[in-house]
Structure formats: structure tokens, C-alpha cells
Amino acid sequence: MRSLFRITVFLVADWCVPRGEIITDKIFNASACGDNCAEWLLEIGKKKDITVNLRHIMDFGEVSFDIHIQNTDQVVHSMKELIPIAGMIVR
């Protein structure tokens, strides 16, 4: 059994102004660094809970993960689960 870590993602469409409760006082715009940050986000998430903002569907690859999507309060474990949810929010 792998240890549970949580990456919280707030998906933001370009036309949307983020609203709602902010989980932490610092939320990083992970879209600014592109998909090459995905591996590092997963590594950081193994050590502590983090919250990031995504304006695109970041490719986390074929690995298994636990990502909490704040918009829908869902936890996904693969890109196959992430893409349909993110696709409804990020255009």
C-alpha cells in the first residue's frame, strides 16, 4: 500500500475568475511552468500537501497519483480519471 499524499488542484478556465474558499494562503500557478513540472509536483506532494492552480490539463503521465480537484471535490488517481473532469472546466 502506498502512502497517501494530496495535491489539490483548482482548475481555472481562462474566462473564469477563481472563487470560493482558498485552502492555503499560497497557491502556485503551476501552468506557468508547463508539463515539465508535473513530476516535481508529484514528488513534492509525497512530502507535504500542496495546492496549485492549473489553467491547462497538465500531463502527469502514466503513474498513479492522488489529486484532489477542488472545483468538484473529487479525488482522481490517473490521467484517465483527470481528463474528463478537467476537460469540463478548462477549455
Side-chain angles (χ1 to χ4, degrees), residues 16-86:
C16 176
V17 175
R19 295 181 303 180
E21 182 180 338
I22 295 182
I23 294 175
T24 67
D25 61 341
K26 298 189 191 299
I27 298 178
F28 178 69
N29 178 8
S31 288
C33 66
D35 287 345
N36 57 343
C37 284
E39 179 182 352
W40 292 108
L41 291 173
L42 294 177
E43 284 300 313
I44 294 167
K46 289 178 183 176
K47 297 177 177 143
K48 68 179 192 172
D49 291 349
I50 58 173
T51 300
V52 298
N53 171 26
L54 287 177
R55 294 181 178 268
H56 79 291
I57 301 174
M58 183 170 279
D59 184 0
F60 289 96
E62 299 296 320
V63 300
S64 178
F65 49 74
D66 298 303
I67 292 180
H68 172 248
I69 301 173
Q70 183 180 354
N71 306 62
T72 62
D73 197 29
Q74 292 174 282
V75 176
V76 295
H77 308 284
S78 67
M79 287 303 296
K80 185 177 180 179
E81 294 176 3
L82 175 63
I83 290 171
I85 298 166

